[in-house]
Amino acid sequence: MTEEKTSLLEGFKAFLLRGNVIDLAVAVVIGAAFTNVVNSVVKGVINPLVGAFGTKDLDHYQSCLKGPCAVNAAGEATSGIPIMWGSVLSAVLSFVITAAVVYFLMVLPMAKYLAKAAARKAEKEGAQETIEVSELEVLKEIRDALVSQRGTGHNTP
């Protein structure tokens, strides 16, 4: 029973010490912090800009499904069914901004780096292949020369 616990703990330790798990944990923490930054930009900059051009803040845009919508002082609907499409639009803008920043600042540079690394590797392998081919040709020439010398040595008495 203790061997099972020991091997289970060793397996768990190996799992935790893998690079992928640590990278994933770092990505989640940074992603959460970055989401807060983007949400703050949307709520602090974009929503007021929409409010400057429109009549109110983006989060306050809504439509009423059933009857006139009445809201009490706490901001809760007392009558009607409000559709808060401004909040949905704000969330979509947050998502688009987050996706754009992740793509342009993380994915695109990493793809360019990996493409350059692959090109360097292919170039290195191509050069190595050329060297191997030329070595093979040299070895064939040496073999042919040895065969021809050997052949001439056996033909003369």
Side-chain angles (χ1 to χ4, degrees):
M1 188 91 170
T2 57
E3 286 182 26
E4 275 185 37
K5 287 184 180 181
T6 304
S7 64
L8 185 65
L9 289 175
E10 287 175 6
F12 185 66
K13 181 180 175 184
F15 171 73
L16 288 179
L17 293 179
R18 272 191 215 157
N20 295 348
V21 174
I22 294 170
D23 291 343
L24 182 61
V26 169
V28 167
V29 170
I30 289 176
F34 184 68
T35 299
N36 288 337
V37 170
V38 170
N39 287 338
S40 296
V41 168
V42 169
K43 291 189 184 300
V45 176
I46 294 176
N47 285 353
L49 285 175
V50 170
F53 292 111
T55 57
K56 48 192 159 193
D57 197 7
L58 188 59
D59 283 334
H60 293 100
Y61 280 99
Q62 66 179 4
S63 297
C64 198
L65 247 186
K66 190 175 185 183
C69 287
V71 180
N72 61 12
E76 299 169 348
T78 56
S79 66
I81 302 173
I83 304 295
M84 307 296 289
W85 60 269
S87 297
V88 173
L89 184 60
S90 177
V92 168
L93 284 173
S94 294
F95 173 76
V96 168
I97 291 170
T98 303
V101 168
V102 166
Y103 179 75
F104 289 113
L105 295 183
M106 294 177 195
V107 173
L108 196 59
M110 183 57 83
K112 287 182 180 179
Y113 171 76
L114 291 176
K116 286 181 183 178
R120 281 191 299 246
K121 184 177 179 182
E123 182 180 304
K124 186 177 180 181
E125 287 177 0
Q128 191 175 26
E129 221 173 80
T130 305
I131 291 170
E132 289 175 7
V133 168
S134 62
E135 285 178 4
L136 184 61
E137 289 174 3
V138 169
L139 289 173
K140 284 181 181 179
E141 289 175 9
I142 292 171
R143 180 200 63 196
D144 293 342
L146 288 173
V147 167
S148 65
Q149 285 177 357
R150 191 175 191 187
T152 56
H154 288 292
N155 289 343
T156 56

